[in-house]
Amino acid sequence: MEPILQIRHLSLSLPVKKGMVSILHDVSLDVAPGQILGLVGESGSGKSMTAFAVTRLLPGGGHEKLGGSIRFCGEELTEKSEKDMQAIRGRDISMIFQEPMTCLNPVFTIGRQMTDVIMTHQKISRAEAMKKAEDMLASVHIRQAADVLRCYPYELSGGMRQRVMIGIALSCRPKLLIADEPTTALDVTVQAKILYLIREACRRLGTAVIFISHDLGVISQICDTVAVMYSGHIVEAGKAADVFETPEHPYTRALMAAVPKFTVSAAAGDRLFAIPGIVPDPSEAMAGCRFAPRCPFATEICRTAPPSDTLTGAGHLVYCHNWQSAAPAIGVLRGKEAEA
Ligand SMILES: Nc1ncnc2c1ncn2[C@@H]1O[C@H](COP(=O)(O)OP(=O)(O)OP(=O)(O)O)[C@@H](O)[C@H]1O
Ligand SMILES: [Mg+2]
């Protein structure tokens, strides 16, 4: 299927005290209608900045530098004015975030906030907008939607608030939904319901979704395709089932090895695997691969020259010099860690 969003060679620099700092490097992604792309990586890898670049909600106060191309529905977003982007946000592209309380206004009812969004983009009366809001809440499986519309955000549970946010985000039937860690603050049962809701809405409305999470378990449950980010680069990308079946970048393997296993036979004292080191500061200049200092398979070339994207036999894109020689089993990483 033709992608609705096509990001090519996206770069982003943000102003800091010492000058400009490069946050994103050569990011390329595709998302098709009715499909969910998972964007995964450790904290600080650039997931949210990629989303903010698409919606142009960047923190640079207008001094940020955006390079490359973001094509949405065949139009180039990087060339749009702020006024055009305001019309696109909420109507064609919606976002939901980790903590709905920070996005919902505490002094207005849910009904008032939902109808405000609907009436910003559609020329209809408050009563008509209220009816649409009620239908939308019902479609995200909220019973007694009319009662919820009269509630203030503090009167609802975290899971209910996130359903309301999804309802608001979908109220104008956007073509693209960006969900940035939408389930991180929820318990696992509510999380499962919210994931189901996003997946079902995406299929039913044909909405393309970018689902951001640092949780590989969540990504593997909900996504069709996946892109693994590290220090502003996409280091591995492909169909989710393929990437999780045969992860080929040492960073993807390390992330998978770091997922805690639920097993009743785990002995007290068994240690969880953690990737050694931390994500480099974006202002830190590096000649080679930015994962090299933490990579157990790094060789001289990894420290001196940046890798290029390679299409592997399994059909993933991998950004690594040594993906072929690095041992394919995830367990090998645990072994290397034990030796260190
Ligand atoms: N306002 C800012 N000015 C300069 N750099 C910033 C700013 N906001 C974030 N950054 C940097 O941009 C990089 C990417 O941040 P981003 O928020 O995209 O990470 P993330 O992958 O979403 O992490 P998390 O999982 O913690 O949300 C980080 O190194 C961060 O320090
Ligand atoms: Mg983030």
Side-chain angles (χ1 to χ4, degrees), residues 14-16 21 23 41-50 59 180-181 214 280 282:
L14 290 177
V16 290
V21 62
I23 303 290
E42 282 168 286
S43 190
S45 52
K47 307 180 297 292
S48 295
M49 286 302 149
T50 304
D180 193 350
E181 308 265 8
H214 60 265

Side-chain angles (χ1 to χ4, degrees), residues 12-17 19 21-24 39-52 58-61 98 180-181 212-214 229 231-232 279-283:
L12 169 70
S13 302
L14 290 177
V16 290
K17 267 190 193 154
V21 62
S22 291
I23 303 290
L24 299 177
L39 205 49
V40 67
E42 282 168 286
S43 190
S45 52
K47 307 180 297 292
S48 295
M49 286 302 149
T50 304
F52 292 145
L58 290 162
Q98 176 174 338
D180 193 350
E181 308 265 8
I212 297 175
S213 180
H214 60 265
M229 272 195 106
S231 194
V279 179
D281 189 291
S283 59

